[in-house]
Amino acid sequence: MGKMAIIGGGPAGLMAAEVLAEEGHAVTVFDSMPTVGRKFLMAGKSGLNITHSESHEALLWRFGTARPDLQQALDAFTGEDIRAWCAGLGVETFVGSSGRVFPKAMKGSPLLRAWLMRLAGLGVTIRRRHGWTGFAGEKLRFATPEGDIEEAFPAVLLALGGASWPRLGSDAAWVPWLREKGVDVKAFIPANCGFEVGWSPIFVDRFAGMPVKAVTATSAIGTLPGEFVVNRWGIEGSLVYAHAAPLRDALLSGQAAALLLDLLPGRSHERIAADLQRQPSKLSLSNRLRKATGLDPVKLGLLRECFGDLSERDAAGLADAIKAMPLPLERPRPIAEAISSAGGIALEAIDQRFMLKTLPGVFVAGEMLDWEAPTGGYLLTACLATGRAAARGMLDYLA
Ligand SMILES: Cc1cc2nc3c(=O)[nH]c(=O)nc-3n(C[C@H](O)[C@H](O)[C@H](O)COP(=O)(O)OP(=O)(O)OC[C@H]3O[C@@H](n4cnc5c(N)ncnc54)[C@H](O)[C@@H]3O)c2cc1C
């Protein structure tokens, strides 16, 4: 059985290690960090959303234009398979109210601990503090605490992650080394990111840190319900991340972009206008708005922030503002703060086995590939599925 190298001990790399070791191969996982799975553990901090319970067809749809290239891998390791795999590691999962799947303990650490024990039992060696620094002829070069080393392997998987949160290990330092070898690597850009808004100082002082709940937001992808958070520099949170891709693309290509908000999605325009009309005219505008609509202070603040003086508007005009408030965005937050990244190795640069077309024997998986998906467990799902698929590709290649 051949010696296999996996570089990158995130979910994609560890999943590939499991598949290869189960087939009896001697597997070594190299990682530059002192411990593996750091981003996986970070993902678990606010609840490890490991996959989604929606139909497989709906899940595939989340990968947009990358779907045709990822489908085989996702078909072979579905959301149901991920839940069964977690259960096999002693980690029961549950479906949250939004359909998202989490471990019952919410955190990633029990799952990672059980997984690393399984890998150790399968004979997988993990060499920590071994940062891959490029190719040396046929060999791979690593920086280690004992100095540089070079080793050759019949097949290698690179599972080095994307470019968000670089301090957790995935710093995209590898991009030039692959480009030099003729691999098409698209520039990394933030995905599932927050956006900067030119808030007034008064608005920031009063509302930074506050959630804006039960709204709908519309962008080029459609209208979605949810909530987001106002902070000092702008907005972030699940509803913002869901719309992030088209807004980011517009802003990065120099166009203006705004998130169109309905601050009272449960009430029709006519009903809001009628409720406002009924308020005594002697009341101040703020009191009329508050009493007629029940909008909380942060939503009232947003209205003032976006439209300025509303005093000239009649009831129908105020309802217009509440039902369709365009929040202008200045720019996406830096990639280092994003949940994930888009860009990376072009899907045209790999074959069906996840092998680089210009580097036979070198396979790739996970977030370092050029696909993106919203939050909802889709990121980990695709990392685990492509890790498995690339491992199968390595087995096929060596056979
Ligand atoms: C705050 C946060 C919350 C998230 N929450 C969720 C969630 O709930 N659900 C979800 O689906 N996704 C979530 N994600 C995204 C998810 O964690 C990532 O998509 C996933 O970890 C990517 O897996 P990967 O194996 O491709 O890469 P990574 O997990 O980034 O792992 C790459 C590994 O490669 C190593 N490495 C990099 N370069 C080198 C090198 N040159 N030499 C050696 N080793 C190297 C790194 O140290 C790292 O261990 C979250 C991300 C963040 C930042």
Side-chain angles (χ1 to χ4, degrees):
M1 291 289 160
K3 250 178 26 162
M4 305 275 212
I6 291 173
I7 313 181
L14 295 179
M15 183 49 92
E18 179 175 325
V19 172
L20 295 174
E22 274 173 348
E23 293 294 323
H25 288 271
V27 181
T28 305
V29 177
F30 296 89
D31 202 292
S32 48
M33 300 297 279
T35 55
V36 295
R38 290 192 172 202
K39 196 174 273 185
F40 185 77
L41 292 178
M42 175 57 77
K45 275 218 161 158
S46 51
L48 186 76
N49 180 198
I50 192 137
T51 188
H52 204 286
S53 65
E54 67 192 0
S55 72
H56 185 58
E57 175 56 32
L59 182 141
L60 291 172
W61 183 79
R62 308 285 174 181
F63 294 91
T65 53
R67 172 184 174 161
D69 296 282
L70 300 184
Q71 178 152 359
Q72 230 179 339
L74 292 163
D75 286 350
F77 202 54
T78 64
E80 275 304 307
D81 295 330
I82 291 178
R83 296 190 70 186
W85 172 78
C86 290
L89 286 168
V91 172
E92 293 303 322
T93 52
F94 74 98
V95 180
S97 55
S98 57
R100 296 175 180 217
V101 175
F102 301 90
K104 281 197 172 139
M106 292 305 275
K107 299 183 288 186
S109 42
L111 180 59
L112 184 61
R113 214 175 305 125
W115 197 5
L116 292 177
M117 274 178 59
R118 173 185 283 177
L119 294 178
L122 287 167
V124 172
T125 305
I126 298 187
R127 288 161 79 178
R128 301 169 175 89
R129 293 192 170 92
H130 277 61
W132 178 56
T133 55
F135 300 96
E138 296 293 294
K139 294 183 174 171
L140 302 170
R141 200 175 49 232
F142 297 93
T144 80
E146 287 77 44
D148 287 357
I149 59 166
E150 289 174 7
E151 284 189 41
F153 295 88
V156 179
L157 173 69
L158 303 178
L160 305 169
S164 80
W165 287 65
R167 63 192 168 86
L168 301 177
S170 36
D171 59 8
W174 49 269
V175 171
W177 311 329
L178 290 189
R179 281 193 180 145
E180 271 164 29
K181 296 281 181 187
V183 179
D184 180 9
V185 186
K186 309 283 181 206
F188 276 113
I189 50 175
N192 294 302
C193 56
F195 288 86
E196 296 181 12
V197 179
W199 300 132
S200 67
I202 296 174
F203 182 83
V204 168
D205 283 348
R206 262 200 87 187
F207 298 115
M210 291 215 178
V212 181
K213 294 189 172 170
V215 293
T216 64
T218 303
S219 73
I221 59 159
T223 300
L224 298 170
E227 61 183 74
F228 64 93
V229 177
V230 165
N231 57 32
R232 300 200 78 80
W233 45 255
I235 53 170
E236 63 181 342
S238 55
L239 187 59
V240 177
Y241 303 153
H243 288 284
L247 298 170
R248 170 206 64 204
D249 290 344
L251 290 166
L252 293 184
S253 62
Q255 294 162 40
L259 193 58
L260 188 66
L261 295 172
D262 179 345
L263 299 177
L264 260 184
R267 238 190 274 181
S268 70
H269 183 282
E270 294 69 31
R271 173 74 206 286
I272 295 170
D275 290 345
L276 281 161
Q277 199 78 57
R278 267 201 306 279
Q279 299 303 313
S281 54
K282 65 177 193 303
L283 285 182
S284 70
L285 175 64
S286 307
N287 276 336
R288 263 189 291 144
L289 275 170
R290 194 170 44 79
K291 289 195 168 175
T293 64
L295 289 176
D296 61 15
V298 64
K299 287 184 182 168
L300 292 173
L302 278 171
L303 279 176
R304 261 178 252 114
E305 195 70 5
C306 286
F307 294 108
D309 184 11
L310 291 162
S311 60
E312 296 298 309
R313 292 192 180 226
D314 60 8
L318 289 170
D320 287 345
I322 292 166
K323 295 297 284 177
M325 194 198 83
L327 181 60
L329 308 175
E330 294 188 333
R331 65 190 71 80
R333 284 296 280 177
I335 195 164
E337 293 174 19
I339 299 280
S340 61
S341 49
I345 296 168
L347 294 169
E348 301 76 48
I350 59 170
D351 69 10
Q352 281 216 329
R353 296 179 294 189
F354 287 83
M355 185 169 82
L356 291 170
K357 288 176 184 164
T358 59
L359 282 175
V362 179
F363 292 74
V364 289
E367 205 183 311
M368 72 186 296
L369 289 166
D370 182 21
W371 53 269
E372 67 175 312
T375 59
Y378 309 109
L379 303 166
L380 285 172
T381 297
C383 289
L384 295 168
T386 56
R388 274 186 98 82
R392 297 252 162 254
M394 292 167 88
L395 293 170
D396 181 60
Y397 171 76
L398 290 178

